Amino acid sequence: MNLLKNNLLNTYKRLPVSFERGEGVWLFDQFGNKYLDGLSGVAVNTLGHNHPSIVSAISEQASKLIHVSNYYHIQEQCLLAKKITSISALSSVFFCNSGCEANEAAIKIARLHGNKNHIEAPSIIVMDSAFHGRTMATLSATGSRRAQAGFEPLMSGFIRVPYDDIDAIKKIASQKNNVSAILVEPIQGEGGINIPQDLGGYLSSLREICDDNNWLLMLDEVQCGIGRTGEWFAFQHSKIKPDVMTLAKGLGSGIPIGACVVNDKAGNLMQPGKHGSTFGGNPLACIVGLTTLDVMKKDDLLSNAILQGDIIVSRLKAIVGEHKGIKSIRYKGLMIGVELAMPCVDLIEIALQNKLLINVTADNVIRLLPSLIINEKESTLLATRLGDLILNFLEKNDK
Ligand SMILES: *Cc1c(COP(=O)(O)O)cnc(C)c1O
């Protein structure tokens, strides 16, 4: 089959490969070639490919019940909500099917909060180079002109400030404003693996400003949540809790699921009839979510994320660390960015030819988001393969 000629809407520039099966951190194409997966479906395949617990959870649940609708009590949904609220110390969960939908729910809650407090045209503070999704509201919240171009008019009600800049937010708070919430990724993913200088301090300052002004603190943990940074949620690297947290990617091990997790203050704003989802929280997706979290706990994958992140980065630094073509290597657990001094999108295909799957974001940041089950041998191989490719690339492009 000619993969280039197909009937798909032209939304992705796809790489010339098609995978047939996977095993742990490995993917196999139809010719039997074996690839080391450094991206895990963009932070989705938390437990790698073909994990036996996920496979049996899916087949057991499918043989009982896949979907019934939210007109009925769904036991599996209650179990997953109980688990998520217990590990996050938040109160209740709305289930949907993706990250943008989880953020849509958060944005609607911020509107409810503002309107309840008689704020005219309530607005949400969002960040430069943020990514919150592709629906109209989340696209409007996203800080990328490239993603937004052509889709005007964007939705109003967002005020943009630089990331990791508390003073910019304090300035807004000190003036007459119509803000009802702050929406921020604790660590920016699509924006280039941007980590605040002092993550705990940044989140604490945001919490304080929100408390002083009766704004909701809403954290988009769609990419950095679910163990990726070595804690269940990235906000747990700080001492604070958000009012609202959104999840998706890694929660369902590839079965679509999103979640908007709230405390009582935010949760009390919702009533029957105000929000919903046909597919959201169906028994199959919830059982897979539960299984994912259970295996993470049983196999101590939070510690593994920290351990393997350190292994990958120290190996990478040993190979390329001193090169002037490297601007910085940033990471928290298994959320890793290698910023080059030049655009490096071409590296994606070069890596593919070398049987390594990586991503490049923000034009010059190599992004690694491997499965949390990766082991020391695989981490070392990943870093060695990538390090050599980066060295080669830098030397070839050194003018
Ligand atoms: C991927 C992502 C989203 C969007 O999730 P979808 O499931 O693609 O809608 C939102 N926020 C962040 C931080 C993301 O990384």
Side-chain angles (χ1 to χ4, degrees), residues 42 97-101 103 131-134 185 189-190 220-224 248-249 367:
V42 198
N97 314 288
S98 64
C100 61
E101 280 175 83
N103 286 330
F131 184 82
H132 298 298
R134 302 284 195 167
E185 297 154 87
E190 304 300 310
D220 181 343
E221 296 230 12
V222 168
Q223 189 160 153
C224 61
K249 291 195 167 86
R367 178 169 56 158

Side-chain angles (χ1 to χ4, degrees), residues 33 35 57 73 97 105 119 144 156 174 176 222 237 253 284 380 387:
N33 292 312
Y35 300 78
H73 283 280
N97 314 288
I119 296 171
S144 156
S156 61
S174 71
K176 191 172 149 33
V222 168
H237 294 286
S253 291
L284 181 74
T380 306

Side-chain angles (χ1 to χ4, degrees), residues 170-392:
K170 279 190 176 155
K171 196 168 152 208
I172 293 170
S174 71
Q175 299 159 348
K176 191 172 149 33
N177 66 71
N178 55 353
V179 173
S180 70
I182 297 175
L183 174 62
V184 58
E185 297 154 87
I187 295 176
Q188 291 187 332
E190 304 300 310
I193 312 291
N194 301 318
I195 307 173
Q197 284 260 311
D198 167 10
L199 175 58
Y202 182 54
L203 294 178
S204 297
S205 301
L206 292 176
R207 180 71 272 174
E208 200 179 309
I209 296 171
C210 284
D211 288 343
D212 290 348
N213 293 279
N214 191 27
W215 300 346
L216 296 177
L217 178 58
M218 312 200 297
L219 300 182
D220 181 343
E221 296 230 12
V222 168
Q223 189 160 153
C224 61
I226 315 292
R228 179 134 303 270
T229 69
E231 296 281 356
W232 286 111
F233 309 108
F235 80 79
Q236 291 168 332
H237 294 286
S238 77
K239 293 193 175 69
I240 62 103
K241 287 195 291 177
D243 300 295
V244 177
M245 167 177 69
T246 55
L247 302 171
K249 291 195 167 86
L251 179 56
S253 291
I255 298 293
I257 186 169
C260 181
V261 190
V262 300
N263 65 7
D264 286 333
K265 177 179 177 168
N268 288 338
L269 296 161
M270 267 300 168
Q271 279 133 30
K274 287 210 175 293
H275 198 50
S277 165
T278 299
F279 291 123
N282 75 41
L284 181 74
C286 288
I287 280 296
V288 176
L290 261 178
T291 306
T292 302
L293 299 177
D294 285 347
V295 173
M296 285 174 68
K297 169 104 176 128
K298 179 170 72 66
D299 294 349
D300 198 11
L301 296 185
L302 303 187
S303 310
N304 195 53
I306 295 182
L307 179 68
Q308 303 304 327
D310 286 343
I311 291 172
I312 292 170
V313 169
S314 63
R315 181 95 191 108
L316 268 176
K317 282 187 173 161
I319 303 174
V320 300
E322 301 303 313
H323 201 290
K324 64 181 194 314
I326 303 282
K327 264 181 114 172
S328 81
I329 300 182
R330 306 184 281 268
Y331 78 116
K332 195 98 187 156
L334 286 172
M335 196 167 181
I336 303 168
V338 182
E339 181 173 355
L340 302 200
M342 65 181 85
C344 58
V345 178
D346 293 347
L347 254 176
I348 301 173
E349 195 150 349
I350 296 171
L352 178 72
Q353 287 155 7
N354 286 275
K355 309 290 182 283
L356 175 65
L357 306 180
I358 58 163
N359 176 249
V360 169
T361 186
D363 283 334
N364 66 334
V365 181
I366 299 161
R367 178 169 56 158
L368 297 177
L369 301 162
S371 297
L372 307 192
I373 58 153
I374 195 166
N375 65 30
E376 180 171 352
K377 201 170 148 216
E378 294 156 344
S379 288
T380 306
L381 185 62
L382 170 62
T384 307
R385 260 189 212 179
L386 179 61
D388 290 346
L389 290 175
I390 293 174
L391 272 189
N392 252 315

Side-chain angles (χ1 to χ4, degrees), residues 119-150:
I119 296 171
E120 202 175 313
S123 294
I124 301 171
I125 293 180
V126 292
M127 308 299 149
D128 280 343
S129 54
F131 184 82
H132 298 298
R134 302 284 195 167
T135 59
M136 278 315 303
T138 59
L139 179 66
S140 305
T142 287
S144 156
R145 274 307 298 156
R146 203 192 287 174
Q148 292 172 336

Side-chain angles (χ1 to χ4, degrees), residues 37-83:
D37 186 0
L39 195 61
S40 60
V42 198
V44 166
N45 303 301
T46 305
L47 308 181
H49 303 281
N50 195 25
H51 192 286
S53 301
I54 295 295
V55 173
S56 61
I58 291 173
S59 60
E60 274 169 37
Q61 186 58 45
S63 71
K64 285 194 269 182
L65 199 57
I66 294 175
H67 175 87
V68 288
S69 100
N70 284 299
Y71 294 155
Y72 311 104
H73 283 280
I74 298 172
Q75 187 60 25
E76 297 79 5
Q77 206 178 103
C78 298
L79 289 173
L80 181 56
K82 188 167 179 208
K83 178 89 193 175

